[in-house]
Amino acid sequence: MLRSSQPLTGPNRKRCREDEMLLGTVLGEGERGFIIDTRSAQAAKQARMTGGGTEPKSSYLQWRRLHRPLERGRPLQESFVKLVEACNDASNNMDRWLSRLESCRWLSHVKAALSTACLAAQCMDREEASVLVHGAEGTDTTLLVTALAQVILDPSCRTLAGFQGLLEREWIEAGHPFHLRCARSAYSHARLKQEAPLFLLFLDCMWQLSRQFPFSLEFGERLLLTLFDNAYASAYGTFLCNNEKERRESTHSLWACLNQPGEKKKYLNPLYSPNALVIWPSVEPQSIQLWQGLFFRWIRSSQYLDEAWAEIQRLAESN
C-alpha cells in the first residue's frame, strides 16, 4: 500500500516521468495495481485548473483508477456540529431525533470511510494487487483510508503498541494538520475554513470495528476517547502543530504517559484474544451505530458501564 498527494498534471496534462517510473517499479510484469482517489471524478477534474489532477490512463497502463469521494472540509465539520447539537437537545422526541440524526449525515460519513478502507483492503487481500491512495494533499482522507485498511488487514495494528505506531506513522509523521483541523471543536461559534474532524471520524470508525469485533482489538473505548480529548486539548505535544517541522520543539509524549504500567492497564481490553485473520466490518445501515460513549458522554452518566467494564477486567484477571 502506498499513499501520496495528487499528481500535478495541471490543465495541460503534463507528464511526470519520475512518477511513472516510481509506480512502474512497484508492479512486476503482468501485475496490476489500483489507484483509489478519495475525491469525486468531478472534483479531480476541477483540480486540474489549479495545477492538480489525476494520473493519465495512457501513462499508467497497469493501474486502474477508482474514485471513492470522501468529505474532508466544511461539509464534514457542519455534519459534526449538527450531530452534537442534536445530541444535546433535550426537547427531541423520537421522530425529531431520528430525523435530525439522518439529516446530519455523520453515520453516512462513517460508512463511506469504512467502505473505502474495505475496498483498499480487498484489492490487496483478494486481488493481491498493490494500492495507491491519494486525495488532494494526501494528508486527510488519504490517511483515513490507509490507516483503517491496515487495521482491517494487519493484526499487529490492533495491539496497543501497534496502534500507537500506526497513529504515529499514518497521522502524525504523515503530516495531518491537527492544529488546523482540530482548532475549535463542535462547540465553537467560529467556523474556520480549514477545520474538519477527520481524526475524529477515524476514531469513530475504530469504535465501529471494536464493537463489531470485541475480541480482536487489544485496547478499548477508553483509549479512543482519550485520543479524541488529546487531539482537541492536550498537555502533551503528540498532536500539536500541523507537521514535523512545526513540532520540532521539545514536548512530552502522550505515548510515554499512556504506556506507564498503571495507566496502560486502563486502556487494555480484557476480552482481547489475538486474531490473525483479516477483519471485514459490515457497513450495512443496521451495523453502523452512533458512538454513544462519545456523543452522549456529557449528557448521560456512564457509571454503570464503567462498573460493568471494571467487573469484566476483574474476572479476566482472576482467570
Side-chain angles (χ1 to χ4, degrees):
M1 178 177 289
L2 305 95
R3 51 174 162 75
S4 73
S5 59
Q6 64 182 327
L8 304 180
T9 56
N12 296 324
R13 303 199 178 192
K14 295 179 294 185
R15 294 181 63 177
C16 180
R17 305 288 183 178
E18 292 80 4
D19 282 358
E20 294 169 18
M21 186 179 301
L22 183 63
L23 288 190
T25 60
V26 173
L27 304 178
E29 186 176 351
E31 294 182 347
R32 61 174 179 164
F34 292 90
I35 298 173
I36 298 178
D37 195 322
T38 60
R39 303 166 297 174
S40 67
Q42 181 63 27
K45 184 177 180 180
Q46 290 174 345
R48 287 209 303 264
M49 305 311 297
T50 55
T54 59
E55 295 81 0
K57 292 181 180 179
S58 59
S59 303
Y60 298 87
L61 296 175
Q62 291 176 269
W63 294 85
R64 178 185 175 191
R65 189 172 68 247
L66 305 171
H67 289 276
R68 292 296 184 272
L70 299 175
E71 294 289 358
R72 71 183 186 101
R74 180 64 65 84
L76 187 63
Q77 178 67 13
E78 291 299 328
S79 176
F80 177 36
V81 170
K82 289 178 182 177
L83 176 58
V84 170
E85 289 175 348
C87 290
N88 290 338
D89 188 349
S91 66
N92 284 328
N93 57 33
M94 179 60 77
D95 291 341
R96 179 169 169 76
W97 159 248
L98 293 175
S99 176
R100 293 185 69 176
L101 179 61
E102 181 180 10
S103 65
C104 76
R105 299 193 67 248
W106 179 259
L107 296 183
S108 297
H109 297 310
V110 173
K111 176 183 177 179
L114 285 172
S115 297
T116 306
C118 284
L119 173 63
Q122 286 170 353
C123 290
M124 297 182 68
D125 182 66
R126 296 179 179 176
E127 301 291 330
E128 297 183 348
S130 296
V131 173
L132 168 65
V133 183
H134 71 65
E137 290 81 17
T139 55
D140 289 295
T141 52
T142 300
L143 308 183
L144 175 66
V145 173
T146 57
L148 287 173
Q150 288 178 66
V151 174
I152 291 169
L153 291 170
D154 187 354
S156 68
C157 292
R158 302 173 215 148
T159 66
L160 183 59
F163 187 62
Q164 291 177 12
L166 176 79
L167 295 178
E168 193 71 31
R169 179 177 68 251
E170 296 299 316
W171 286 92
I172 298 169
E173 293 176 358
H176 180 65
F178 281 96
H179 178 69
L180 290 174
R181 300 293 183 261
C182 304
R184 302 275 184 175
S185 85
Y187 287 96
S188 172
H189 293 293
R191 294 290 184 268
L192 301 185
K193 184 178 180 180
Q194 299 191 62
E195 190 169 9
L198 269 301
F199 188 62
L200 168 58
L201 182 58
F202 167 72
L203 295 177
D204 198 326
C205 291
M206 287 300 306
W207 180 80
Q208 305 290 336
L209 289 173
S210 71
R211 191 187 60 79
Q212 293 189 27
F213 301 94
F215 305 107
S216 296
L217 275 63
E218 189 184 21
F219 48 90
E221 181 184 42
R222 179 174 289 184
L223 176 67
L224 302 178
L225 292 172
T226 299
L227 292 172
F228 166 76
D229 291 340
N230 280 273
Y232 280 92
S234 180
Y236 303 93
T238 303
F239 298 112
L240 281 180
C241 306
N242 295 312
N243 51 54
E244 285 294 289
K245 182 179 179 181
E246 293 181 7
R247 207 177 287 114
R248 282 179 180 172
E249 60 189 80
S250 179
T251 58
H252 293 289
S253 168
L254 175 63
W255 312 134
C257 172
L258 298 185
N259 290 327
Q260 294 178 11
E263 283 292 308
K264 182 177 179 180
K265 181 181 176 182
K266 300 176 184 177
Y267 303 107
L268 294 176
N269 175 12
L271 302 177
Y272 175 63
S273 178
N275 178 6
L277 301 176
V278 177
I279 55 174
W280 297 111
S282 169
V283 293
E284 295 301 318
Q286 59 268 36
S287 299
I288 305 296
Q289 295 189 12
L290 181 66
W291 185 5
Q292 298 183 33
L294 174 66
F295 294 110
F296 290 159
R297 71 191 292 200
W298 292 285
I299 59 175
R300 191 175 68 186
S301 173
S302 63
Q303 174 188 349
Y304 298 115
L305 289 175
D306 293 340
E307 291 175 352
W309 192 250
E311 180 64 14
I312 291 173
Q313 286 183 311
R314 188 188 67 78
L315 292 173
E317 292 171 358
S318 66
N319 291 332

